Amino acid sequence: MRKRSFKPNQASETFVPEESAALSASLDRNVEALKRIFSLSDDVSFRTFLIGGTVKAELVYIPGMSDRQEIDVSVLKPLMRSEPAEKADLQEVKNRVLSVVSVEEIGTIGECARQLIKGDPLLLIDDCERALLLKIAKWDKRAVEEPKTEPSLRGPREGFTESIATNLSLLRRKVQTVKLKLQSLQLGRYTETDVYIAFIEGLAKPSLVEEVRRRIERIDLDSVLETGYIEELTEDSPYSPFPQQQFTERVDIAAASLLEGRVVILVDGTPNVLIVPVTLVTLLQAADDYYNRSLYSSTLRFLRYCTLFISLILPAAYVALLNFHQEMVPGKLMISIASAREAIPFPTIVEVLMMQLAFEVLREAGLRLPRQIGSAVTIVGALVVGEAAVSAGLVSAPIVIIIAFTGIAGFTAPHYSIELSIRLLRLLLIVLGGMLGMLGVMFGIIAIAIHLCTLRSFGVPYLTPFAPFVASDTKDTMVRVPWWKMTKRPSFANGRNRDRLAPGQRPEPGRGEEE
């Protein structure tokens, strides 16, 4: 795939007019042009030396982004000790003298500048109209480790890092097939961020791959620093509270998505990759569901569905019942709640909203504080604030229990993005419950259901395989059937090859001995 060309901002003064000009045969003129481009950049080094003691050359590099040992051993030493000559032969230098694995030729000042800031040194030789780009960039990067935001009790511990080269190698090692295709392009006028579209040829629908490529190619902005930029600029319904793309740091989740026929988008500089298309069912699946036995996984998955629904409606239902439908509450329970609220000066809806806001503040504080004290502040803060609020008569004890259970139930969401959606919609339902009672809560749930039915992710209905109903895809929804029954890939993203398991895989102990 052709890489996206650089489009400088007309008001920018970062690049000088010489950037579009071809390299000159004069070494001094080329060096002077590069020095003007990097006139205010003290981290760029210019090293002048003689090839074979006779031909003048210039090595331009950024010390913090290039392998200095490789420069000394594979570039400077062989060039300076080469045989003397009146004029250096560029091809001979490239193919015989230099012992660098990858060397490319560059013909313009602008390309030299753009490649240099990526960490690859440049070799300029007098009386040569082309420069040599030495692919020996090296900078510090984080080691591969387990993602802290997506823990798993069983399964691989590998997570993506900020290095795109490392991420591509992790994906290649996990999916070792020549049909894994990685198409690259660049986004961002100033950052020129490397973006890769990954898919398995024959599994992903060609129309899906083309749609992903088209949406990404139309992006034109100054910078792309994280996958969140691409997510907001390529989603189907930008004002929907529900995520229409899945992000993950886990290599195994990305690999499993590729094998289902979906497309993975990788961005240099971030450990989060995007997976498209996505459905609501997909966002409620955890990695552990596929590594544990189906009976255990199905039980936990069904429990996850129930707790997330409770997290969505429990505070709203409490407000609606106490304000409009007291007859629906058992008598003894109603007396207990009324006695607890006897000295409370606020209406139920204000009480619930106050505690919900306090819980969100404590959770956000625990997230932003340093890890060593964040968890302590969250737990201690919740206990202290809840106890103090009840003792002061600002809120009742049942409200503290309701909000605490609601928050804990929301933590069962396997993906943070879907939990954010539930938190937003929960506030809406609380307001509707306080205004219209259970009728308002039901109206809110119906509105959410209608919105989910109309929502799409890269053209795929969000409620697939329930709406539209696809019987073969229901084996991996609210429950997960055993692996030997999941013979087909999901139809919503997969191309012609849907078979992923050979028939007759059900375990039958003793069958081989009888035969």
Side-chain angles (χ1 to χ4, degrees), residues 354-384:
M354 266 188 355
M355 281 304 299
Q356 185 68 51
L357 180 62
F359 186 84
E360 296 294 339
V361 170
L362 287 171
R363 177 156 52 179
E364 190 68 15
L367 182 65
R368 304 303 169 193
L369 283 170
R371 189 169 303 166
Q372 292 79 1
I373 60 175
S375 58
V377 168
T378 304
I379 297 172
V380 175
L383 292 175
V384 171

Side-chain angles (χ1 to χ4, degrees), residues 37-325:
I37 292 177
F38 297 104
S39 58
L40 301 178
S41 302
D42 296 334
D43 60 331
V44 181
S45 297
F46 292 82
R47 170 72 160 87
T48 305
F49 66 99
L50 296 176
I51 299 177
T54 56
V55 181
K56 188 177 180 181
E58 191 85 19
L59 183 68
V60 189
Y61 66 100
I62 301 177
M65 300 179 67
S66 301
D67 191 336
R68 300 183 68 172
Q69 183 177 359
E70 187 76 9
I71 291 175
D72 292 338
V73 175
S74 303
V75 180
L76 290 177
K77 186 177 292 184
L79 285 174
M80 296 174 72
R81 292 182 179 179
S82 62
E83 298 178 0
E86 295 182 1
K87 178 182 178 181
D89 186 349
L90 193 66
Q91 295 302 319
E92 183 179 357
V93 171
K94 176 182 175 182
N95 299 324
R96 191 181 69 84
V97 180
L98 292 175
S99 56
V100 178
V101 174
S102 179
V103 181
E104 296 180 5
E105 294 186 22
I106 298 178
T108 64
I109 293 293
E111 187 65 20
C112 287
R114 286 191 291 274
Q115 295 296 334
L116 180 63
I117 59 179
K118 293 182 179 180
D120 296 319
L122 290 169
L123 178 62
L124 302 168
I125 303 175
D126 195 18
D127 205 19
C128 290
E129 296 182 352
R130 298 184 69 81
L132 294 180
L133 177 68
L134 313 175
K135 294 287 189 175
I136 50 176
K138 182 181 179 181
W139 54 84
D140 293 334
K141 57 186 177 181
R142 184 167 58 92
V144 176
E145 55 188 20
E146 182 181 6
K148 294 181 174 58
T149 57
E150 299 174 89
S152 176
L153 297 178
R154 182 176 180 179
R157 296 290 190 267
E158 293 175 328
F160 290 114
T161 69
E162 288 74 15
S163 170
I164 189 68
T166 302
N167 294 344
L168 294 178
S169 65
L170 289 171
L171 206 56
R172 281 284 187 192
R173 193 177 71 173
K174 188 68 68 174
V175 185
Q176 299 185 17
T177 172
V178 295
K179 293 186 178 295
L180 174 60
K181 307 301 179 182
L182 299 169
Q183 298 181 349
S184 67
L185 63 156
Q186 290 181 336
L187 296 179
R189 299 193 190 107
Y190 293 101
T191 58
E192 293 194 57
T193 306
D194 290 327
V195 178
Y196 280 82
I197 301 173
F199 62 95
I200 297 181
E201 188 178 24
L203 298 187
K205 291 181 179 178
S207 58
L208 171 62
V209 177
E210 184 60 32
E211 179 66 14
V212 173
R213 182 190 298 114
R214 185 188 64 81
R215 294 193 190 188
I216 295 179
E217 283 185 333
R218 65 176 293 274
I219 296 175
D220 186 5
L221 73 167
D222 285 348
S223 62
V224 174
L225 302 178
E226 218 276 334
T227 51
Y229 290 58
I230 296 177
E231 181 180 5
E232 283 200 53
L233 291 168
T234 56
E235 58 188 358
D236 293 59
S237 301
Y239 293 107
S240 172
F242 290 94
Q244 295 139 63
Q245 300 178 24
Q246 178 184 350
F247 68 88
T248 183
E249 293 184 45
R250 295 186 63 93
V251 183
D252 55 336
I253 292 180
S257 301
L258 289 172
L259 293 169
E260 287 182 346
R262 295 196 279 169
V263 176
V264 175
I265 303 171
L266 302 97
V267 178
D268 191 17
T270 174
N272 293 306
V273 304
L274 293 177
I275 301 172
V276 295
V278 70
T279 64
L280 182 63
V281 170
T282 306
L283 292 172
L284 297 178
Q285 296 170 349
D288 280 335
D289 293 347
Y290 302 94
Y291 303 143
N292 293 308
R293 297 177 65 247
S294 61
L295 183 61
Y296 178 69
S297 299
S298 298
T299 303
L300 291 183
R301 184 179 289 183
F302 183 77
L303 181 64
R304 191 182 304 137
Y305 274 80
C306 295
T307 54
L308 289 177
F309 184 73
I310 291 173
S311 174
L312 176 65
I313 70 166
L314 182 59
Y318 178 83
V319 172
L321 291 175
L322 260 62
N323 284 352
F324 297 92
H325 312 285

